[in-house]
Amino acid sequence: MTFRKPWASPLFPVSRRDFLITAVILLCAVGLCFILWLAGSIDGFAAPVFVLAVLLISRLTRGYLYGSISVILGVIFVNFIFTYPYWAFDFHNPGYPLTFFTLLMISLITSTLTAQAKRQAQLLAENEREKMRANLLRSVSHDIRTPLTSIVGSTSAVLENPGLSEREQRELLENAREEAQWLIRVVENLLSITRMGDAQARIAKEPEPAEEVLGTAAQKFRRRFPQVSVTVSAPEELLMVPMDPILIEQVLANLLENAAVHGRAANIALLLEAEEDFAKITVRDDGRGISRDELDHLFDGRLKSRRPADGDGKRNMGLGLSVCRAIVLAHGGSITARNLLRGAELSFRLPTAVQALQEVST
């Protein structure tokens, strides 16, 4: 049989952060009381000062340990230093038990209310994660079912109809390959969401030439969408940006694909700009733009699957754009979207300072 140490209990957690908070607040309370003492106004003011100190400590620390310690130290300071006779204990003072009881009750009540508030916030966060997970599963099930059905239909048609011409077989196989590539993109997005949601995961950011990352993403996109024109524009000076290049390429791939598939763009421009301590990357297209309803929920993963005019029901952009947002935020950046007079513009900004990124990752 093993016994849990009392200081290992969740009710009495030991933390360097909580210790520093307690020490700083108590030192401030003592300093304020000394200032009031020197001003000749200490009588009757010491107890309220330490009541406030206990209240703050109990609110800002976890469990009951530091709140209880602050109660004991507060009573000692009030009784020993700031109550007549000064620098001496007076246990016959009728206010001594009342002060101790008041501080103790304040500490216990505040700590309990704080623990309940944190528990409720945790439950709300867990419920929100469950809701997002359910939405993700619905979106993924929709995105996967349609291409799988198409792959099975195309391959079955080739296998069961040996009399098909070479051109017909090739069209069916090319369709199956296209659907398989779409499935690969969905799986990549799922893996990225899992990685972004792992609290233990740390993104390995290294300074990378941003222009090369854009060029690689544009080259891969051209192979998949040869009918869409893509141009890359970058400043003359080499711009090094701390990033995970594979993840940023995935962001660019999702944005480019959405411009081609959903925006029906014929021309897309990839722009790289330097803005103080940030690198701004923009995907600008000449397509049909983004509806106002979709613009409000473009990156939060709440876009419902919709069947476009071509009847291809698998083309749901909500998952890919929520992945973009998760990756950019994990890099310490931000992502925005807006409509132009013709087409749309989606931009994200990445910090160029290594120190800022290190602070975000920790």
Side-chain angles (χ1 to χ4, degrees):
M1 180 180 297
T2 58
F3 296 92
R4 173 176 289 186
K5 298 177 181 180
W7 55 83
S9 169
L11 297 177
F12 301 95
V14 177
S15 167
R16 179 180 299 179
R17 167 188 170 277
D18 292 344
F19 174 80
L20 292 176
I21 290 175
T22 303
V24 169
I25 293 177
L26 286 177
L27 287 176
C28 291
V30 172
L32 178 58
C33 286
F34 270 116
I35 292 175
L36 293 174
W37 193 5
L38 294 177
S41 305
I42 190 60
D43 293 338
F45 286 98
V49 169
F50 280 95
V51 167
L52 178 60
V54 170
L55 178 63
L56 291 175
I57 292 171
S58 301
R59 177 64 182 86
L60 298 177
T61 59
R62 294 169 295 176
Y64 297 90
L65 177 62
Y66 294 97
S68 302
I69 293 175
S70 65
V71 169
I72 297 173
L73 293 178
V75 172
I76 291 175
F77 285 136
V78 171
N79 184 269
F80 184 73
I81 302 178
F82 302 112
T83 302
Y84 184 85
Y86 303 117
W87 302 103
F89 286 108
D90 182 12
F91 295 105
H92 299 289
N93 188 336
Y96 178 78
L98 179 61
T99 302
F100 181 82
F101 179 78
T102 301
L103 293 178
L104 180 62
M105 288 299 101
I106 289 175
S107 174
L108 293 177
I109 294 173
T110 305
S111 298
T112 301
L113 293 176
T114 301
Q116 291 178 351
K118 291 180 178 179
R119 192 177 301 113
Q120 290 178 354
Q122 183 178 3
L123 290 175
L124 289 176
E126 291 177 356
N127 291 336
E128 187 65 23
R129 283 195 295 268
E130 289 297 329
K131 186 183 300 183
M132 292 178 62
R133 188 177 294 112
N135 292 336
L136 175 62
L137 289 176
R138 284 194 294 269
S139 175
V140 170
S141 64
H142 180 277
D143 286 350
I144 290 179
R145 181 175 60 249
T146 304
L148 281 176
T149 302
S150 180
I151 291 173
V152 172
S154 297
T155 54
S156 298
V158 173
L159 293 174
E160 297 172 1
N161 298 277
L164 292 174
S165 65
E166 182 178 348
R167 182 181 62 83
E168 292 173 331
Q169 291 182 6
R170 182 177 181 84
E171 289 179 355
L172 289 171
L173 292 176
E174 286 180 349
N175 180 68
R177 182 178 64 178
E178 180 185 351
E179 303 296 341
Q181 290 175 340
W182 177 263
L183 283 177
I184 291 174
R185 299 290 302 147
V186 172
V187 171
E188 288 175 349
N189 285 333
L190 283 175
L191 291 176
S192 295
I193 283 184
T194 303
R195 181 177 175 184
M196 295 302 103
D198 186 1
Q200 302 300 324
R202 288 293 182 267
I203 297 178
K205 307 180 191 71
E206 295 292 338
E208 300 284 346
E211 184 178 358
E212 291 185 7
V213 176
L214 267 66
T216 302
Q219 184 178 5
K220 293 179 179 179
F221 175 78
R222 291 189 186 103
R223 288 199 294 264
R224 295 190 57 210
F225 297 89
Q227 74 279 9
V228 181
S229 172
V230 180
T231 59
V232 179
S233 176
E236 295 182 359
E237 296 183 359
L238 185 64
L239 183 58
M240 303 295 291
V241 181
M243 68 171 77
D244 184 324
I246 296 177
L247 291 177
I248 297 302
E249 282 184 21
Q250 185 173 357
V251 172
L252 293 171
N254 285 342
L255 296 181
L256 289 168
E257 184 171 330
N258 279 316
V261 175
H262 299 284
R264 306 293 178 84
N267 300 280
I268 302 177
L270 267 178
L271 308 176
L272 173 64
E273 303 171 274
E275 293 185 349
E276 296 183 356
D277 295 331
F278 291 87
K280 181 180 179 182
I281 300 174
T282 302
V283 178
R284 184 180 299 160
D285 65 74
D286 62 351
R288 58 185 181 183
I290 306 168
S291 69
R292 182 173 299 178
D293 294 338
E294 289 177 341
L295 196 60
D296 294 335
H297 305 288
L298 199 59
F299 300 106
D300 58 11
R302 290 190 290 167
L303 289 181
K304 296 182 179 180
S305 298
R306 56 181 176 87
R307 188 175 299 273
D310 58 5
D312 188 359
K314 72 178 182 297
R315 307 302 185 185
N316 176 25
M317 65 178 172
L319 176 62
L321 292 180
S322 64
V323 171
C324 293
R325 178 178 180 272
I327 292 175
V328 171
L329 290 180
H331 280 75
S334 59
I335 186 168
T336 57
R338 68 188 182 99
N339 282 316
L340 305 175
L341 293 177
R342 181 181 179 186
E345 180 182 278
L346 286 83
S347 304
F348 62 94
R349 302 165 77 238
L350 300 177
T352 55
V354 177
Q355 181 179 0
L357 284 176
Q358 290 175 346
E359 292 176 356
V360 171
S361 63
T362 54

